[in-house]
Amino acid sequence: MSVEQAAVQRADFDQVMVPNYAPAAFIPVRGAGSRVWDQSGRELIDFAGGIAVNVLGHAHPALVGALTEQANKLWHVSNVFTNEPALRLAHKLVDATFAERAFFCNSGAEANEAAFKLARRVAFDRFGSEKYEIIAALNSFHGRTLFTVNVGGQSKYSDGFGPKITGITHVPYNDLAALKAAVSDKTCAVVLEPIQGEGGVLPAELAYLQGARDLCDAHDALLVFDEVQTGMGRTGELFAYMHYGVIPDILTSAKSLGGGFPIAAMLTTEALAKHLVVGTHGTTYGGNPLACAVAEAVIDVVNTPEVLAGVKAKHDKFKTRLEQIGAKYGLFTQVRGLGLLIGCVLNDAWKGKAKDIFNAAEQEGLMILQAGPDVIRFAPSLVVEDADIDAGLDRFERAAAKLTQA
């Protein structure tokens, strides 16, 4: 029997995989909408969305159709050539945003790597070699490459990999005075998440983002928004910057962009894009026809008044019920976030126990997320049915009841 046909179980992970992950004890094998089935046939409701990736749930017909159609046409040609799906997707992203140019790659880390390299190259070309400093926020997360993990403000991810990349400063999030004190004429970019995702689903204050924009303008620095987790309708706007009305110079998107198919984008203006001349940056699979065809279908579905308004309505439904559960069982001090990126901040009695709640929810047939040890995170499909919201939160309440009664 071939490897492809052989039965595999969770125990095989420990035998053949690098141990940098600690996956759950079950293996999902099939999904439809917001429901998932594991190897034993057990059904779970998915409020995790592949960590804010499965923006239209599992096996959405528009995405299946786009992928199937493209799979019968053209898979890969490399960036020695361009292709029709990439050009169509770029047009749609440019038409829908502040941007005038798009660069496609494969992951949020790659998109941020491109953004940070672009920011440094623009500063180098315009002002010289001394303007290269990047300011980012503490508890931010921007990816796992050596550059992005150093820009991310969490030392637990960047320690232990040799000398750190220099010219990077971290300041407290939502602290405009601290940002102002850190910015100088050597600053080439300020990098912020409009909502800190891995840092605890913490939204930026409007005055903070507006202040960051003003500081960048005053110091000839670029404002970079990492919308890897907040982009593609997650907040109820196509991108979170639209919610705030603060326009960045560079924006990164991934996760939801492909609805589960790996793709990412860096969006920027024509004036900035021209600094990445031929040969200065690249990626083998960036702009892959399969990925771009799927992402085009995603934007066609998501960037509609019906879906975006639905996200805001579903947010209210989640928040109301979660606040009731938190109060009834004494778990949360706050339910925060925008759209369908929601964080429940655990109270002092439950601090550090997000994993326990994650496990209890799984036992009730519900897939959720953590955002650090003190926050439970929900990032479901943007088109999750109201009946699935009710059923999933019923399961979450059962988990909360069992935990607090134990």
Side-chain angles (χ1 to χ4, degrees), residues 222-310:
L222 302 182
L223 181 60
V224 180
F225 280 173
D226 176 343
E227 292 225 35
V228 168
Q229 197 157 155
T230 55
M232 295 306 291
R234 179 61 56 185
T235 65
E237 303 287 347
L238 186 62
F239 289 100
Y241 83 84
M242 298 170 175
H243 170 84
Y244 289 97
V246 177
I247 298 175
D249 300 294
I250 305 171
L251 179 146
T252 57
S253 177
K255 289 190 179 289
S256 295
L257 181 59
F261 202 100
I263 185 173
M266 178 189 72
L267 304 177
T268 191
T269 64
E270 179 183 5
L272 298 177
K274 69 182 181 182
H275 290 270
L276 286 185
V277 299
V278 172
T280 53
H281 193 58
T283 170
T284 295
Y285 291 104
N288 173 272
L290 294 168
C292 290
V294 175
E296 184 187 2
V298 170
I299 195 171
D300 285 346
V301 174
V302 168
N303 196 27
T304 58
E306 297 80 11
V307 169
L308 294 176

Coordinates of all heavy atoms in Angstrom, one line a residue, residues 222-310:
L222 N 7.3 56.0 6.3 CA 6.1 55.3 5.7 C 5.3 54.6 6.8 O 5.9 54.1 7.8 CB 6.6 54.3 4.7 CG 7.4 54.8 3.5 CD1 7.8 53.7 2.6 CD2 6.7 56.0 2.8
L223 N 4.0 54.7 6.7 CA 3.1 54.0 7.6 C 2.7 52.7 7.0 O 2.1 52.7 5.9 CB 1.9 54.9 7.9 CG 0.9 54.3 8.9 CD1 1.5 54.0 10.2 CD2 -0.3 55.2 9.0
V224 N 3.0 51.6 7.6 CA 2.7 50.2 7.1 C 1.7 49.6 8.0 O 1.9 49.6 9.3 CB 4.0 49.4 7.2 CG1 3.7 48.0 6.6 CG2 5.1 50.0 6.3
F225 N 0.6 49.2 7.4 CA -0.5 48.5 8.2 C -0.4 47.0 7.9 O -0.5 46.6 6.7 CB -1.8 49.0 7.8 CG -2.2 50.3 8.5 CD1 -3.4 51.0 8.2 CD2 -1.4 50.8 9.6 CE1 -3.8 52.1 8.8 CE2 -1.8 52.0 10.2 CZ -3.0 52.6 9.9
D226 N -0.2 46.2 8.9 CA -0.2 44.8 8.7 C -1.7 44.3 8.9 O -2.2 44.3 10.0 CB 0.7 44.1 9.8 CG 0.6 42.6 9.8 OD1 -0.3 42.0 9.2 OD2 1.5 42.0 10.4
E227 N -2.3 44.0 7.8 CA -3.7 43.6 7.8 C -3.8 42.1 7.4 O -4.8 41.7 6.8 CB -4.6 44.5 6.9 CG -4.7 45.9 7.4 CD -6.1 46.4 7.3 OE1 -7.1 45.6 7.5 OE2 -6.3 47.6 7.0
V228 N -2.8 41.4 7.8 CA -2.8 39.9 7.5 C -4.0 39.3 8.1 O -4.7 38.4 7.5 CB -1.5 39.3 7.9 CG1 -1.6 37.8 7.9 CG2 -0.3 39.8 7.0
Q229 N -4.3 39.7 9.4 CA -5.4 39.1 10.1 C -6.7 39.8 9.9 O -7.8 39.3 10.0 CB -5.1 38.9 11.5 CG -6.0 37.9 12.3 CD -5.3 37.3 13.5 OE1 -6.0 36.9 14.4 NE2 -4.0 37.2 13.6
T230 N -6.6 41.2 9.7 CA -7.8 42.0 9.7 C -8.4 42.2 8.3 O -9.5 42.8 8.2 CB -7.5 43.4 10.3 OG1 -6.4 44.0 9.6 CG2 -7.2 43.2 11.8
G231 N -7.7 41.8 7.3 CA -8.1 42.2 5.9 C -9.2 41.3 5.3 O -9.6 40.3 5.9
M232 N -9.7 41.6 4.2 CA -10.7 40.9 3.4 C -12.0 40.7 4.2 O -12.5 39.6 4.3 CB -10.1 39.5 3.0 CG -8.9 39.7 2.0 SD -9.3 40.7 0.5 CE -10.5 39.6 -0.3
G233 N -12.5 41.8 4.7 CA -13.8 41.8 5.3 C -13.9 41.4 6.7 O -15.0 41.5 7.3
R234 N -12.8 41.0 7.3 CA -12.8 40.5 8.7 C -13.5 41.4 9.7 O -14.1 41.0 10.7 CB -11.4 40.1 9.1 CG -11.2 39.5 10.5 CD -11.9 38.3 10.8 NE -11.7 37.2 9.9 CZ -12.3 36.0 9.9 NH1 -13.3 35.8 10.8 NH2 -12.0 35.1 9.0
T235 N -13.2 42.8 9.5 CA -13.7 43.7 10.5 C -15.1 44.3 10.1 O -15.6 45.2 10.8 CB -12.8 44.9 10.6 OG1 -12.7 45.6 9.4 CG2 -11.4 44.4 11.0
G236 N -15.6 43.9 9.0 CA -16.9 44.5 8.5 C -16.6 45.5 7.4 O -17.6 46.0 6.8
E237 N -15.4 45.9 7.2 CA -14.9 46.7 6.0 C -14.0 45.8 5.2 O -13.4 44.8 5.8 CB -14.2 48.0 6.4 CG -15.1 48.9 7.3 CD -16.2 49.6 6.5 OE1 -16.2 49.5 5.3 OE2 -17.1 50.2 7.2
L238 N -13.7 46.1 4.0 CA -12.8 45.2 3.2 C -11.5 45.1 3.9 O -10.9 44.1 4.0 CB -12.7 45.7 1.8 CG -11.9 44.7 0.9 CD1 -12.5 43.4 0.8 CD2 -11.7 45.3 -0.5
F239 N -11.0 46.3 4.3 CA -9.8 46.4 5.1 C -10.0 47.3 6.3 O -10.8 48.2 6.3 CB -8.6 46.9 4.3 CG -8.1 45.9 3.3 CD1 -8.4 46.0 2.0 CD2 -7.3 44.8 3.7 CE1 -8.0 45.1 1.0 CE2 -6.9 43.9 2.8 CZ -7.2 44.0 1.4
A240 N -9.3 47.0 7.4 CA -9.6 47.7 8.7 C -9.3 49.2 8.6 O -9.9 50.0 9.3 CB -8.8 47.1 9.8
Y241 N -8.3 49.6 7.7 CA -8.0 51.0 7.6 C -9.2 51.8 7.2 O -9.3 53.0 7.5 CB -6.8 51.2 6.7 CG -7.1 51.3 5.2 CD1 -7.5 52.4 4.6 CD2 -7.0 50.1 4.4 CE1 -7.8 52.5 3.2 CE2 -7.3 50.1 3.0 CZ -7.7 51.3 2.5 OH -8.0 51.4 1.1
M242 N -10.1 51.1 6.5 CA -11.3 51.8 6.0 C -12.2 52.1 7.2 O -13.0 53.1 7.2 CB -12.0 51.0 5.0 CG -11.2 50.7 3.7 SD -12.0 49.5 2.6 CE -10.9 49.5 1.2
H243 N -12.2 51.3 8.2 CA -13.0 51.5 9.4 C -12.5 52.7 10.1 O -13.3 53.5 10.6 CB -12.9 50.3 10.3 CG -13.5 50.5 11.7 ND1 -14.8 50.4 12.0 CD2 -12.9 50.8 12.8 CE1 -15.0 50.6 13.3 NE2 -13.8 50.9 13.8
Y244 N -11.2 52.9 10.1 CA -10.6 54.0 10.9 C -10.5 55.3 10.0 O -10.4 56.4 10.5 CB -9.2 53.7 11.3 CG -9.2 52.7 12.5 CD1 -9.0 51.3 12.2 CD2 -9.4 53.1 13.8 CE1 -9.0 50.4 13.3 CE2 -9.3 52.2 14.8 CZ -9.2 50.8 14.6 OH -9.1 49.9 15.6
G245 N -10.5 55.2 8.7 CA -10.3 56.3 7.8 C -8.9 56.8 7.8 O -8.6 58.0 7.5
V246 N -7.9 56.0 8.2 CA -6.5 56.4 8.2 C -5.8 55.5 7.1 O -5.8 54.3 7.1 CB -5.8 56.1 9.5 CG1 -4.3 56.4 9.5 CG2 -6.5 56.9 10.6
I247 N -5.2 56.2 6.1 CA -4.7 55.5 4.9 C -3.2 55.3 5.1 O -2.4 56.2 5.3 CB -5.0 56.4 3.6 CG1 -6.5 56.5 3.5 CG2 -4.3 55.7 2.4 CD1 -6.9 57.4 2.3
P248 N -2.8 54.0 5.0 CA -1.3 53.7 5.1 C -0.6 54.0 3.7 O -1.3 54.2 2.7 CB -1.3 52.2 5.4 CG -2.5 51.7 4.6 CD -3.6 52.8 4.7
D249 N 0.7 53.9 3.8 CA 1.5 53.9 2.5 C 1.7 52.5 2.0 O 1.8 52.3 0.7 CB 2.9 54.5 2.8 CG 2.8 55.9 3.4 OD1 2.4 56.8 2.6 OD2 3.1 56.1 4.5
I250 N 1.7 51.5 2.8 CA 1.9 50.1 2.5 C 0.9 49.3 3.3 O 0.8 49.5 4.5 CB 3.3 49.6 2.7 CG1 4.3 50.5 2.0 CG2 3.5 48.2 2.2 CD1 5.8 50.2 2.3
L251 N 0.3 48.3 2.7 CA -0.6 47.4 3.4 C -0.3 46.0 3.0 O -0.1 45.7 1.9 CB -2.1 47.8 3.1 CG -3.2 46.9 3.7 CD1 -4.4 47.8 4.0 CD2 -3.6 45.7 2.9
T252 N -0.4 45.1 4.0 CA -0.1 43.7 3.7 C -1.4 42.9 4.0 O -2.1 43.2 5.0 CB 1.0 43.1 4.6 OG1 0.8 43.3 6.0 CG2 2.3 43.8 4.1
S253 N -1.6 41.9 3.2 CA -2.8 41.0 3.4 C -2.4 39.6 3.1 O -1.6 39.3 2.2 CB -3.9 41.5 2.4 OG -5.0 40.6 2.4
A254 N -3.0 38.7 3.8 CA -2.8 37.2 3.5 C -4.0 36.5 4.1 O -5.1 36.9 3.8 CB -1.5 36.8 4.1
K255 N -3.8 35.5 4.9 CA -4.9 34.7 5.5 C -6.1 34.6 4.7 O -6.3 33.8 3.9 CB -5.1 35.3 6.9 CG -3.9 35.0 7.9 CD -4.3 35.3 9.3 CE -3.2 35.0 10.3 NZ -3.0 33.5 10.5
S256 N -7.1 35.5 5.0 CA -8.4 35.5 4.3 C -8.4 35.7 2.8 O -9.3 35.4 2.1 CB -9.4 36.5 5.0 OG -9.7 36.1 6.3
L257 N -7.3 36.3 2.3 CA -7.2 36.6 0.9 C -7.5 35.5 0.0 O -8.1 35.6 -1.0 CB -5.8 37.2 0.6 CG -5.6 37.7 -0.9 CD1 -6.6 38.8 -1.3 CD2 -4.2 38.2 -1.0
G258 N -7.0 34.3 0.3 CA -7.2 33.1 -0.5 C -8.3 32.2 0.1 O -8.5 31.1 -0.5
G259 N -8.9 32.5 1.2 CA -10.0 31.7 1.7 C -9.5 30.3 2.1 O -10.3 29.4 2.2
G260 N -8.2 30.1 2.3 CA -7.7 28.8 2.6 C -6.6 28.3 1.6 O -5.9 27.4 1.9
F261 N -6.5 29.0 0.4 CA -5.5 28.7 -0.5 C -4.3 29.7 -0.3 O -4.6 30.9 -0.1 CB -6.0 28.8 -2.0 CG -5.1 28.1 -3.0 CD1 -5.6 26.9 -3.5 CD2 -3.9 28.6 -3.4 CE1 -4.8 26.2 -4.4 CE2 -3.1 27.9 -4.3 CZ -3.6 26.7 -4.8
P262 N -3.1 29.2 -0.2 CA -2.0 30.1 0.2 C -1.8 31.2 -0.8 O -1.4 31.0 -1.9 CB -0.8 29.2 0.3 CG -1.4 27.8 0.5 CD -2.6 27.8 -0.3
I263 N -1.9 32.5 -0.3 CA -1.6 33.6 -1.1 C -1.6 34.8 -0.2 O -2.2 34.9 0.8 CB -2.7 33.9 -2.3 CG1 -2.2 35.1 -3.1 CG2 -4.1 34.1 -1.7 CD1 -3.1 35.3 -4.4
A264 N -0.7 35.8 -0.6 CA -0.6 37.1 0.2 C -0.3 38.2 -0.8 O 0.0 38.0 -1.9 CB 0.5 37.0 1.2
A265 N -0.5 39.4 -0.3 CA -0.3 40.6 -1.2 C 0.3 41.7 -0.3 O -0.1 41.9 0.8 CB -1.6 41.0 -1.8
M266 N 1.1 42.5 -1.0 CA 1.6 43.8 -0.5 C 1.0 44.8 -1.4 O 1.2 44.7 -2.7 CB 3.1 43.9 -0.5 CG 3.5 45.3 0.0 SD 5.3 45.5 -0.2 CE 5.5 45.7 -2.0
L267 N 0.3 45.8 -0.9 CA -0.3 46.8 -1.7 C 0.3 48.2 -1.3 O 0.6 48.5 -0.2 CB -1.8 46.9 -1.4 CG -2.7 45.6 -1.6 CD1 -4.1 45.8 -1.1 CD2 -2.6 45.1 -3.0
T268 N 0.5 49.0 -2.4 CA 1.2 50.3 -2.1 C 0.9 51.2 -3.3 O 0.1 50.9 -4.2 CB 2.7 50.1 -1.9 OG1 3.3 51.3 -1.5 CG2 3.4 49.6 -3.2
T269 N 1.5 52.4 -3.3 CA 1.3 53.4 -4.3 C 2.3 53.2 -5.5 O 3.3 52.6 -5.3 CB 1.4 54.8 -3.8 OG1 2.8 55.0 -3.3 CG2 0.5 55.0 -2.6
E270 N 2.0 53.8 -6.6 CA 2.9 53.8 -7.7 C 4.3 54.4 -7.4 O 5.3 53.9 -7.7 CB 2.3 54.5 -8.9 CG 3.2 54.5 -10.2 CD 2.6 55.3 -11.3 OE1 1.5 55.9 -11.1 OE2 3.2 55.3 -12.4
A271 N 4.2 55.5 -6.7 CA 5.4 56.2 -6.4 C 6.4 55.4 -5.5 O 7.6 55.5 -5.7 CB 5.1 57.5 -5.7
L272 N 5.9 54.6 -4.6 CA 6.7 53.8 -3.7 C 7.1 52.5 -4.5 O 8.2 52.0 -4.4 CB 6.0 53.4 -2.4 CG 5.6 54.6 -1.6 CD1 4.8 54.2 -0.3 CD2 6.9 55.4 -1.1
A273 N 6.2 51.9 -5.2 CA 6.4 50.6 -5.9 C 7.6 50.7 -6.8 O 8.3 49.8 -7.0 CB 5.2 50.2 -6.6
K274 N 7.8 51.9 -7.4 CA 8.8 52.0 -8.4 C 10.2 51.8 -7.9 O 11.2 51.6 -8.6 CB 8.7 53.4 -9.1 CG 9.1 54.5 -8.3 CD 8.9 55.8 -9.1 CE 9.3 57.1 -8.2 NZ 9.1 58.3 -9.0
H275 N 10.4 51.8 -6.5 CA 11.7 51.6 -5.9 C 12.1 50.1 -5.9 O 13.2 49.8 -5.7 CB 11.7 52.2 -4.5 CG 11.7 53.6 -4.5 ND1 12.8 54.4 -4.5 CD2 10.6 54.5 -4.5 CE1 12.5 55.7 -4.4 NE2 11.1 55.8 -4.4
L276 N 11.1 49.2 -6.1 CA 11.4 47.8 -6.3 C 11.6 47.5 -7.8 O 10.7 47.0 -8.4 CB 10.4 46.9 -5.6 CG 10.4 46.8 -4.1 CD1 9.3 45.8 -3.6 CD2 11.8 46.5 -3.5
V277 N 12.7 47.9 -8.3 CA 13.0 47.7 -9.7 C 13.3 46.2 -10.0 O 13.4 45.4 -9.1 CB 14.2 48.6 -10.2 CG1 13.8 50.0 -10.0 CG2 15.4 48.2 -9.5
V278 N 13.3 45.8 -11.2 CA 13.5 44.4 -11.6 C 14.8 43.9 -10.9 O 15.9 44.5 -10.9 CB 13.7 44.3 -13.2 CG1 14.1 42.9 -13.5 CG2 12.4 44.7 -13.8
G279 N 14.6 42.7 -10.2 CA 15.7 42.1 -9.6 C 15.8 42.4 -8.1 O 16.6 41.7 -7.4
T280 N 15.1 43.4 -7.6 CA 15.3 43.8 -6.2 C 14.5 42.9 -5.2 O 14.9 42.8 -4.0 CB 14.9 45.2 -5.9 OG1 13.5 45.4 -6.4 CG2 15.8 46.2 -6.6
H281 N 13.5 42.2 -5.7 CA 12.7 41.3 -4.8 C 12.0 40.3 -5.7 O 11.7 40.6 -6.8 CB 11.7 42.1 -3.9 CG 11.2 41.3 -2.8 ND1 11.9 40.7 -1.9 CD2 9.9 41.0 -2.5 CE1 11.1 40.1 -1.0 NE2 9.9 40.2 -1.4
G282 N 11.6 39.2 -5.1 CA 10.9 38.2 -5.9 C 10.5 37.0 -5.0 O 10.8 36.9 -3.8
T283 N 9.7 36.1 -5.6 CA 9.3 34.9 -5.0 C 8.8 33.9 -6.0 O 8.1 34.3 -7.0 CB 8.1 35.2 -4.0 OG1 7.6 33.9 -3.5 CG2 7.0 36.0 -4.6
T284 N 9.2 32.7 -5.9 CA 8.9 31.7 -7.0 C 7.4 31.6 -7.3 O 6.9 31.6 -8.4 CB 9.5 30.3 -6.6 OG1 10.9 30.4 -6.6 CG2 9.1 29.3 -7.6
Y285 N 6.6 31.4 -6.2 CA 5.2 31.1 -6.4 C 4.3 32.3 -6.3 O 3.1 32.2 -6.5 CB 4.7 30.1 -5.3 CG 5.3 28.7 -5.5 CD1 6.3 28.3 -4.7 CD2 4.9 27.8 -6.5 CE1 6.9 27.0 -4.8 CE2 5.4 26.6 -6.7 CZ 6.4 26.2 -5.9 OH 7.0 24.9 -6.0
G286 N 4.8 33.5 -6.1 CA 4.0 34.7 -6.0 C 3.2 34.9 -7.3 O 3.8 34.9 -8.4
G287 N 1.9 35.2 -7.1 CA 1.1 35.4 -8.3 C 0.7 34.1 -9.0 O 0.3 34.2 -10.2
N288 N 0.8 33.0 -8.3 CA 0.4 31.7 -8.9 C -1.0 31.7 -9.5 O -1.9 32.2 -8.8 CB 0.6 30.6 -7.9 CG 0.1 29.3 -8.3 OD1 -1.0 29.0 -8.2 ND2 1.0 28.5 -8.9
P289 N -1.2 31.2 -10.7 CA -2.6 31.3 -11.3 C -3.7 30.6 -10.4 O -4.8 31.1 -10.3 CB -2.4 30.6 -12.6 CG -1.0 30.7 -12.9 CD -0.3 30.7 -11.6
L290 N -3.4 29.5 -9.8 CA -4.3 28.8 -9.0 C -4.7 29.7 -7.8 O -5.9 29.9 -7.5 CB -3.8 27.5 -8.4 CG -3.5 26.4 -9.5 CD1 -2.7 25.3 -8.8 CD2 -4.8 25.8 -10.1
A291 N -3.7 30.2 -7.1 CA -4.0 31.0 -5.9 C -4.8 32.3 -6.3 O -5.7 32.7 -5.6 CB -2.7 31.4 -5.2
C292 N -4.3 32.9 -7.4 CA -5.0 34.2 -7.8 C -6.4 34.0 -8.2 O -7.3 34.8 -8.0 CB -4.2 34.9 -8.8 SG -2.6 35.5 -8.2
A293 N -6.7 32.9 -8.9 CA -8.0 32.6 -9.3 C -9.0 32.4 -8.1 O -10.1 32.9 -8.1 CB -8.1 31.3 -10.2
V294 N -8.5 31.7 -7.1 CA -9.3 31.5 -5.9 C -9.5 32.9 -5.2 O -10.6 33.2 -4.7 CB -8.6 30.5 -4.9 CG1 -9.4 30.4 -3.6 CG2 -8.5 29.1 -5.6
A295 N -8.4 33.7 -5.0 CA -8.5 35.0 -4.3 C -9.4 35.9 -5.1 O -10.1 36.7 -4.4 CB -7.1 35.6 -4.2
E296 N -9.5 35.8 -6.4 CA -10.4 36.7 -7.1 C -11.8 36.3 -6.8 O -12.7 37.2 -6.6 CB -10.2 36.5 -8.6 CG -11.0 37.4 -9.5 CD -10.9 37.1 -11.0 OE1 -10.2 36.2 -11.4 OE2 -11.5 37.8 -11.8
A297 N -12.1 35.0 -6.6 CA -13.4 34.6 -6.2 C -13.8 35.0 -4.8 O -14.9 35.4 -4.5 CB -13.6 33.0 -6.4
V298 N -12.8 35.0 -3.9 CA -13.0 35.5 -2.6 C -13.4 36.9 -2.6 O -14.4 37.3 -1.9 CB -11.7 35.3 -1.7 CG1 -11.9 36.0 -0.4 CG2 -11.4 33.8 -1.5
I299 N -12.7 37.8 -3.3 CA -13.0 39.2 -3.2 C -14.3 39.5 -3.9 O -15.1 40.4 -3.5 CB -11.9 40.1 -3.9 CG1 -12.1 41.6 -3.5 CG2 -11.8 39.9 -5.4 CD1 -10.9 42.4 -3.9
D300 N -14.7 38.7 -4.9 CA -16.0 38.9 -5.6 C -17.1 38.6 -4.6 O -18.2 39.3 -4.6 CB -16.1 38.0 -6.8 CG -15.3 38.4 -8.0 OD1 -14.9 39.6 -8.0 OD2 -15.1 37.6 -8.9
V301 N -17.0 37.6 -3.7 CA -18.0 37.3 -2.7 C -18.0 38.3 -1.5 O -19.0 38.8 -1.1 CB -17.9 35.8 -2.2 CG1 -18.9 35.6 -1.1 CG2 -18.1 34.9 -3.4
V302 N -16.8 38.5 -1.0 CA -16.7 39.3 0.2 C -16.9 40.7 0.1 O -17.6 41.4 0.9 CB -15.3 39.1 0.9 CG1 -15.0 40.1 2.0 CG2 -15.1 37.6 1.4
N303 N -16.4 41.3 -1.0 CA -16.5 42.8 -1.2 C -17.9 43.2 -1.8 O -18.0 43.8 -2.8 CB -15.4 43.3 -2.1 CG -15.3 44.8 -2.0 OD1 -15.6 45.4 -0.9 ND2 -14.8 45.4 -3.0
T304 N -18.9 42.8 -1.0 CA -20.3 43.1 -1.4 C -21.0 43.7 -0.1 O -20.7 43.4 1.0 CB -21.1 41.9 -1.8 OG1 -21.1 40.9 -0.8 CG2 -20.5 41.3 -3.1
P305 N -21.9 44.6 -0.3 CA -22.6 45.2 0.8 C -23.3 44.2 1.7 O -23.3 44.3 2.9 CB -23.7 46.2 0.2 CG -23.1 46.5 -1.2 CD -22.4 45.2 -1.6
E306 N -23.8 43.1 1.1 CA -24.5 42.1 1.9 C -23.6 41.4 2.9 O -23.9 41.3 4.0 CB -25.2 41.1 1.0 CG -26.3 41.7 0.0 CD -25.7 42.4 -1.2 OE1 -24.5 42.3 -1.5 OE2 -26.5 43.1 -1.9
V307 N -22.5 41.0 2.4 CA -21.5 40.2 3.2 C -20.9 41.1 4.3 O -20.8 40.8 5.5 CB -20.4 39.5 2.4 CG1 -19.3 39.0 3.3 CG2 -21.0 38.4 1.6
L308 N -20.5 42.3 3.9 CA -19.8 43.2 4.8 C -20.8 43.7 5.9 O -20.5 43.8 7.1 CB -19.2 44.4 4.1 CG -18.1 44.1 3.2 CD1 -17.6 45.3 2.4 CD2 -16.9 43.4 3.9
A309 N -22.1 44.0 5.5 CA -23.1 44.3 6.5 C -23.4 43.1 7.4 O -23.6 43.3 8.6 CB -24.3 44.8 5.9
G310 N -23.4 41.9 6.8 CA -23.6 40.7 7.6 C -22.6 40.5 8.7 O -22.9 40.0 9.8

